[in-house]
Amino acid sequence: MTAPVAGPSPASPPPVPTPSPPPCAAGPATGPGAGRTTRRVAVPGGGTVLVPGAPGTPGAAPAPAPGTTTAPGTDGPPPVGGTAAPGATSPHTAYAPAAPPAVDAAVMDATAAPPPVLTADGAYAARLTHADGSWYPERWTLDSPEPYAVPLPGHQPEEPGTEVLPMADGRVLVHRRAAGRHLFALLYPTGPGTGEVALGGVECAGAELTLLPPAPRGGHAYALAAGDRSTAVWLVAGGSFGPEHLAEVPGRCSGGVWLDRTNRMLALDRELDGVTKTVAVDLERGGEVTPLLQIAAASDDRLLLADADSGLLLIRSDAPGEPRLGWGVLGSTHPVRFPECLRLPGHRATPFAIQPGQVLTPEACAVALRLDATTPAAPGARPALCAWRPADRRVHPLTAPEGWPAGVGHWTPEGVLRLPYTTRAVPCGVAQVEVPGTGAAGPAGAGRAEPQPPAGEGDPGPPDGLGGRGGTPRAARPVPLQQAPLGGRATGR
């Protein structure tokens, strides 16, 4: 069960009757803070961060009072990069968890920082990084002529498991865990410091809460609280008053792929009775659930990526007899296909970006793939980078820049793959990679050509006897995707 932790409220609010809480609900973000001694350490890109320091350490000073962060003005934060007005105060306060113990620098260096997260339009990225044994959020601005990074250190170091997510306006959502609570706040630069607006939190008991991928409308952020019997969908940023419970989906759900550009239709991989199928959840109709992927009755079918313009879906399913990467079209009557060129011996292909803007032409969409070795690789080996189009029937190997966080990138509508990277010399950079056009012959060994099937036919699918929709026996090939209530999607492809 999860219980709400109330978000920030205006002064002297009228009493509100307490409703019966859903499995995940919100309640007051209050808690004790512990005083401690710290020292300031410079971080790459400018600014400083407080790290734990033993009493008597030169330069150590008491940390700011816990739970007191100031946002300029009384009506919320200023535009990104603004500064606080003199004497201005904010009604928003954030619960400050107890300071983590000091971490040995050698151990910290050995800990791989999580990869950055990109906004849906690729304009911003955010990651949790560290310096001198202290974790802090960092925002990357990627749509600038000269990409740059801005450190956002708070009044105390972050826990290593803290999640961050970039917002469309340049602020960064931070998800902290403290004493069983999940607390949310927005961070933004304020000249030499970091502003923070507390959003409240969610208290979960027996549920695992994680942030969903950035939404197409980037002024909102969502979270998934997965329990053993049901999963809650939460709006944690962009609501009218603190976290809002949007939907309760029966079964344990994971994943999370947006199917449209309005933050309405969300695809989740739901596990029921030992079988995983992707369902579409309508967040504007109280969480109405519709089956989306049902390739075979007993197969595990998961949605990895979707593009709202073309309807292209990237799927992983074991319907062909082993986990395979396949593709389909949302609302199409054609079957799911499992291209042989994506069956790479010794590697597991994972798509991470689809070219947008290809309206009703899913076969022309370029897809960026991360290739991870499934067999023991040489020490220090990095995942490989490839691109693929359904119409090409081949895989194009690409060269990633040094310092590229594997599996992070964004396509332009023109077909240019933008890959962020970071090195000691370049704290934040973007490399642009072009992919051979549709039908172009790739370099030697780029991939294996696949015979062109007749229109409407797919690659070999599950063996005879496997069920299709509702378990009905079908021919030995993957069955068409089931419809989701998205409307307006052509069904003739």
Side-chain angles (χ1 to χ4, degrees), residues 153-436:
H155 60 272
Q156 70 176 28
E158 302 290 351
E159 296 279 0
T162 299
E163 288 186 295
V164 295
L165 185 138
M167 307 294 287
D169 61 2
R171 292 184 291 180
V172 173
L173 176 72
V174 60
H175 166 211
R176 302 177 175 120
R177 297 171 176 85
R181 294 189 177 106
H182 298 264
L183 306 176
F184 304 93
L186 289 172
L187 306 180
Y188 55 94
T190 57
T194 300
E196 180 171 331
V197 179
L199 302 177
V202 175
E203 183 173 354
C204 293
E208 179 183 353
L209 189 144
T210 56
L211 294 178
L212 283 167
R217 290 184 176 176
H220 300 75
Y222 301 80
L224 202 65
D228 292 334
R229 297 185 178 181
S230 66
T231 300
V233 181
W234 282 86
L235 173 65
V236 297
S240 57
F241 180 79
E244 298 178 13
H245 180 266
L246 300 180
E248 196 73 24
V249 182
R252 185 174 182 86
C253 297
S254 59
V257 176
W258 295 101
L259 299 176
D260 64 358
R261 297 198 179 280
T262 65
N263 298 4
R264 175 178 178 177
M265 300 303 301
L266 175 67
L268 297 174
D269 299 330
R270 179 173 69 173
E271 181 183 353
L272 276 178
D273 301 324
V275 177
T276 300
K277 302 287 184 183
T278 300
V279 297
V281 181
D282 191 334
L283 299 182
E284 290 188 3
R285 301 185 65 177
E288 180 178 280
V289 177
T290 305
L292 182 65
L293 290 182
Q294 294 191 37
I295 300 177
S299 63
D300 288 330
D301 310 320
R302 293 177 171 86
L303 181 62
L304 305 181
L305 279 182
D307 176 65
D309 296 328
S310 63
L312 179 63
L313 305 179
L314 277 298
I315 298 156
R316 195 179 304 280
S317 173
D318 61 4
E322 62 178 348
R324 293 276 301 275
L325 186 61
W327 69 281
V329 180
L330 190 63
S332 171
T333 57
H334 288 187
V336 178
R337 303 183 185 186
F338 296 91
E340 189 65 23
C341 66
L342 297 181
R343 191 178 187 179
L344 303 171
H347 292 83
R348 177 184 176 90
T350 303
F352 63 87
I354 299 178
Q355 179 185 358
Q358 311 304 301
V359 179
L360 299 181
T361 55
E363 298 87 353
C365 290
V367 179
L369 302 171
R370 165 182 172 161
L371 299 185
D372 293 278
T374 57
T375 56
R382 299 276 296 166
L385 172 66
C386 291
W388 165 81
R389 290 185 181 93
D392 281 355
R393 308 286 171 167
R394 68 185 71 244
V395 171
H396 302 278
L398 305 175
T399 301
E402 180 185 359
W404 170 61
V408 179
H410 176 75
W411 288 100
T412 68
E414 296 74 28
V416 177
L417 180 60
R418 292 169 52 84
L419 300 173
Y421 66 92
T422 178
T423 64
R424 292 186 181 273
V426 183
C428 177
V430 175
Q432 301 193 89
V433 181
E434 295 189 9
V435 182

Side-chain angles (χ1 to χ4, degrees), residues 39 102-111 130-134:
R39 57 191 176 91
V103 181
D104 182 77
V107 175
M108 184 68 72
D109 291 339
T111 303
H130 61 83
D132 199 22
S134 177

